[in-house]
Amino acid sequence: EKVSKIDSYVLHDDIRLYSKYVSRLLPGTTVLDVGTGKGKSAVALSLANPEVQVLTVDDGSAAFARGWAVDQKDYENKMAELFKEYGIENCTFYFGDIFDMAFKNRIPYVDLFHLDDETLEADILAAIVPIVKINGIILMRNYNRCKERVDETCRGYEFLENMGLIQVIRKI
C-alpha cells in the first residue's frame, strides 16, 4: 500500500474501506475527513479516487499535544509536504474548529464523511450529519467508543458493515 509508511493508528482494514467506498463516488463529489492527524486517512481517501474533492479538517490539538507539530503553520506545512510527496491535488487541509466551520456554513454538503476524532466523535457526528447528502456514506472510526450516541444520531439509517475500527453507515 502506498500509505503504509505514514505513521498512524489507521489500520489496513480502514484503508480498504476508504478505497471501497470512495472509489464508487462520482467525479466532483465531496469527501469530508474530520480528524486529519498525520494525514494518513486524508491521503488514502484522496488516492482512492482522484476525481473527488477531499476536505480534511483538524484543530491541531492532538498534533500539538504529541509534539508532531509546534503550531498552525508547522501543521499546515507538514500537510502540504505530505500531499506533495504523494502527488495529491484533490485534497485541501483546513486548520480549524469543525464546529465553527459547520455552523458558519463553511463546509459544503458532502457525499462521504469520515470521522476520526479521539474525544468529540459523537458531538461532531451530530453537527455534521445534516450536511451529509441523502444516500451519503458515513465512515465512523472508533464506533464502539461512542456506539450509543452514534446509534441514536443515525437512527433509521442503514448500517452497512463494520471492518477494522470503522462502522459504515448510509444516510437515508
Side-chain angles (χ1 to χ4, degrees):
E1 287 207 350
K2 291 182 179 182
V3 298
S4 62
K5 72 176 190 171
I6 301 173
D7 181 36
S8 170
Y9 298 109
V10 175
L11 306 175
H12 178 72
D13 283 343
D14 299 340
I15 293 170
R16 286 182 35 213
L17 281 177
Y18 302 157
S19 181
K20 177 178 180 177
Y21 287 95
V22 176
S23 66
R24 298 175 180 176
L25 296 175
L26 296 173
T29 56
T30 303
V31 172
L32 175 62
D33 172 44
V34 175
T36 310
K38 290 187 175 182
K40 188 172 188 174
S41 294
V43 169
L45 291 163
S46 300
L47 291 173
N49 186 343
E51 299 297 318
V52 303
Q53 179 59 44
V54 176
L55 308 174
T56 186
V57 181
D58 201 302
D59 67 0
S61 56
F64 302 153
R66 293 185 175 119
W68 187 71
V70 296
D71 59 22
Q72 178 179 344
K73 190 69 174 160
D74 185 39
Y75 198 9
E76 289 170 339
N77 288 339
K78 286 183 181 198
M79 287 299 100
E81 290 169 13
L82 183 68
F83 297 162
K84 183 178 178 181
E85 176 183 345
Y86 283 87
I88 292 172
E89 297 178 0
N90 62 322
C91 186
T92 305
F93 172 66
Y94 290 100
F95 180 90
D97 183 306
I98 188 61
F99 296 107
D100 184 50
M101 296 178 81
F103 293 122
K104 291 185 178 176
N105 297 320
R106 292 175 48 202
I107 300 173
Y109 283 95
V110 298
D111 301 276
L112 186 141
F113 171 46
H114 172 254
L115 177 57
D116 183 7
D117 184 90
E118 297 177 354
T119 55
L120 298 172
E121 291 112 333
D123 294 332
I124 294 170
L125 178 66
I128 299 299
V129 159
I131 65 169
V132 175
K133 294 178 182 177
I134 298 299
N135 291 317
I137 297 295
I138 300 166
L139 301 178
M140 183 69 199
R141 195 152 191 278
N142 300 313
Y143 168 72
N144 290 326
R145 194 161 47 203
C146 54
K147 181 184 182 314
E148 291 176 9
R149 294 247 345 253
V150 173
D151 291 353
E152 178 183 321
T153 300
C154 298
R155 182 173 293 132
Y157 294 3
E158 185 178 4
F159 284 65
L160 300 175
E161 66 180 301
N162 187 297
M163 184 186 298
L165 296 175
I166 295 179
Q167 175 64 52
V168 181
I169 305 164
R170 180 189 321 274
K171 183 177 179 180
I172 297 176

